Amino acid sequence: MSGPLAGVRVVELAGIGPGPFAAMLLADLGADVVRIDRPEPGAFAAGDPARNLLNRGKRSIVVDLKHPDGAEVVLALAGRAAILIEGWRPGVAERLGVGPEAALARNPGLVYGRMTGWGQDGPLARAAGHDIGYIAVAGALHPIGRAGGPPQIPLNLVGDFGGGALYLVVGILAALHVAGATGRGQVVDAAIVDGAAHLTTPFAGLLAQGAWRPERGRNLLDGGAPFYDVYATADGGHMAVGALEPQFYAELLRRLGLADADLPDRHDVTGWPVLRARFAEVFAGRTRDEWTAVFDGTDACVAPVLSLTEAPGHPHLAARGTYEEHFGVRQPAVAPRLSGTPGRVGGPPPVPGADTEPVLTDWGLDEHLPRWLDGGAVGRKQGAAH
């Protein structure tokens, strides 16, 4: 392995969404991530596990946590790891015998990362939930959408992956730094509702200054301003406009052929409907590719809206290698980029249980392998925990 986290061992208790994504980030940066999958076929998986990119660069071991030796397998691995990640509801890990108290007793320097929606405490801690509910309560969903319309769902980018996985990784790396200096591990409580709320900090500041209206779609950055919006083109495509600064706005007008038009002052919000209608009319006159050529290389801050399949082919992303092809799949490359110890995609997503014996051998637990394997605590592949 290579990367800044080379040599760092991570145990990931199988889950879905933000936990696996956080572990993937650590794997991308060079950590040896071992995912502990359940023996039931299809557990925490949809579709082909070999194409689940959230598990790229990891290895997998199947452990039956209902088996008398199941918890011991996990704790033995945790004893040789720097980080453990779990994303179950509060109390589940403790009930299975692999909670923080047991894990830290085995390894006092362990960083125990917990990924939940509502957090480890509070009235909703044990309630079911999904991304949309977490960001709704956190105040992150309400501002997204058109004026007069309902809030629009930003995929699960703001909650699961932005407010969840990324905050878990930040907490883990901070705790890892402390553990390296003191030898003391700790628990990282990463709640999506906390992270999503934290992401709204800039807008809380604007609101406190009276510079943000609580009504959706009425502000500078929420689609209220006509010079920060998305416009349809003649072929059904769209162009994204972000001409906030005066010089960029002037370039936008020039490229649209409106430099000399009689338009309302852009600072006059009462004139925004007129500006928006005029911009929409002009953008509708050409195709997306034609407008892309018009704005290419300019400082108008206008870009084509590309699909997931189109984005890898954009000249800038292609030149930077923002997308790469690995194991027959085009996918986002490792980010961020480090100059001295760059990360890399370590390998394809494993079939659950594919690495049981190599992992136990590499981590110095092979002496237990015959008992655990033949006794049914671990399996060679998914469904093989006897």
Side-chain angles (χ1 to χ4, degrees), residues 104-370:
L104 287 166
R106 185 67 62 94
N107 179 359
L110 182 71
V111 174
Y112 195 109
R114 315 197 81 172
M115 182 76 262
T116 61
W118 301 114
Q120 296 297 316
D121 52 37
L124 293 175
R126 296 178 185 273
H130 279 296
D131 179 287
I132 190 171
Y134 309 138
I135 67 173
V137 170
L141 179 60
H142 181 272
I144 303 173
R146 292 291 179 184
Q152 295 298 307
I153 303 169
L155 299 179
N156 55 341
L157 297 175
V158 174
D160 283 350
F161 301 118
L166 295 184
Y167 278 82
L168 176 59
V169 170
V170 169
I172 284 173
L173 295 180
L176 190 65
H177 174 73
V178 173
T182 67
R184 294 192 301 271
Q186 59 185 298
V187 177
V188 178
D189 175 7
I192 295 171
V193 69
D194 293 346
H198 195 263
L199 287 172
T200 70
T201 301
F203 305 101
L206 291 173
L207 188 64
Q209 299 171 47
W212 187 269
R213 300 173 63 182
E215 297 87 0
R216 185 180 312 108
R218 303 289 186 183
N219 297 281
L220 191 64
L221 301 176
D222 62 359
F227 42 87
Y228 199 88
D229 206 346
V230 176
Y231 293 94
T233 57
D235 57 346
H238 293 85
M239 299 296 290
V241 176
L244 293 175
E245 290 79 4
Q247 67 272 28
F248 302 154
Y249 182 72
E251 183 67 8
L252 169 68
L253 296 184
R254 191 173 76 82
R255 295 286 171 167
L256 291 176
L258 297 174
D260 299 322
D262 183 17
L263 299 173
D265 187 297
R266 75 188 191 110
H267 298 293
D268 180 5
V269 297
T270 64
W272 281 2
V274 175
L275 275 179
R276 178 172 283 104
R278 190 73 181 97
F279 292 168
E281 178 185 14
V282 176
F283 272 112
R286 298 188 188 184
T287 67
R288 189 189 68 179
D289 288 348
E290 289 173 334
W291 282 120
T292 299
V294 168
F295 288 102
D296 184 43
T298 74
D299 280 344
C301 298
V302 177
V305 177
L306 303 181
S307 69
L308 289 173
T309 55
E310 294 174 314
H314 188 277
H316 181 77
L317 303 188
R320 283 182 57 80
T322 301
Y323 286 82
E324 298 175 340
E325 184 166 332
H326 296 280
F327 39 90
V329 179
R330 180 68 64 178
Q331 56 196 280
V334 174
R337 307 178 186 206
L338 281 72
S339 63
T341 54
R344 66 181 181 88
V345 175
V351 173
D355 309 295
T356 296
E357 294 175 73
V359 164
L360 294 178
T361 298
D362 293 349
W363 285 34
L365 297 171
D366 49 316
E367 61 183 286
H368 303 287
L369 184 58

